[in-house]
Amino acid sequence: MSTSTLPYATSTSSAAGVAAAVTPPTTGPTVRPRKPGFWRAPFSGVTFREIGYVLTSFPLAIVGFVFAVTMFCLGAGLLVTLLGLPVLAVALAGARGLGSAERLRARVGLGLAVDGPGAYGAGANADGPRAKGFWARTRARLADAAGWKALLFQVVMFPWRVLSFVLTVTFFVTGWVVALFPTYSWVFHRYVGWPGYRVYDFTSGGRHHEYYITSPAQIAAVAGIGAVLVFLTPKLVRALTSVDRAAVRSLLG
């Protein structure tokens, strides 16, 4: 192809140079959606995608952790026989598949694109490990550093994703429930028989202690506390998912 067909070419360099100039890079992080401002963050699609990422990470973390621990322990226990090697090879292959799914989730939920590792055994020879037979493929799998890192990802991220799930659900639900308190505070007086929302009501040492949220000022104060939680939730979720971003880059790329 001549350089005349490329209106943005600046010189008549070699074909390799032109290809390098016009071919987009295949590595590096994706340009993320613009980070919403503080006041828009609780209502931004970016925030809800990150929350969705955290919520879906919890069940997937359970699956990945159970798979990784079960297969590794089974394979390690069978190493006294030759059966342990194929089991570990299957564990690494499965971990690679789970890692591919995690990279896709990170791209959609976090706006982070990470290139996957090369094919296992790519440097074996020109024909690849498949031409060598079952045990050659097994050895190639066991020598696959990317597979081991993907397996490690499923183990180390499990407790973090449990913590992330608990914190995200707690802050998100509590924040909105408390912030919207003025819209349903009348329910307790009309249908429950309380003068307002009951914070506590007990008798101790012959004395009765009670506290109800009844006045407009109290209701407004409660809503204000909820609003603070609502606006802090996106900051919390972004901080939690920053660990996921770092783990995806370092262990699944």
Side-chain angles (χ1 to χ4, degrees), residues 41-59:
F43 318 101
S44 169
V46 174
T47 298
F48 281 97
R49 282 194 296 273
E50 291 181 347
I51 291 175
Y53 176 88
V54 173
L55 298 184
T56 55
S57 291
F58 177 62

Side-chain angles (χ1 to χ4, degrees), residues 181-182 185 195-196 212-224:
F181 179 69
S185 59
Y212 291 87
I213 299 174
T214 56
S215 69
Q218 290 173 318
I219 294 174
V222 170

Side-chain angles (χ1 to χ4, degrees), residues 14-106:
S14 64
V18 173
V22 301
T23 302
T26 57
T27 59
T30 288
V31 177
R32 299 179 191 172
R34 179 177 297 179
K35 183 180 176 180
F38 179 79
W39 300 110
R40 292 182 56 250
F43 318 101
S44 169
V46 174
T47 298
F48 281 97
R49 282 194 296 273
E50 291 181 347
I51 291 175
Y53 176 88
V54 173
L55 298 184
T56 55
S57 291
F58 177 62
L60 294 177
I62 296 175
V63 173
F65 180 80
V66 170
F67 172 83
V69 172
T70 301
M71 294 297 292
F72 178 80
C73 292
L74 179 61
L78 291 174
L79 282 179
V80 294
T81 69
L82 290 177
L83 292 178
L85 298 178
V87 171
L88 289 176
V90 171
L92 298 179
R96 264 184 171 260
L98 292 173
S100 178
E102 288 292 344
R103 289 192 299 273
L104 177 60
R105 292 182 60 247

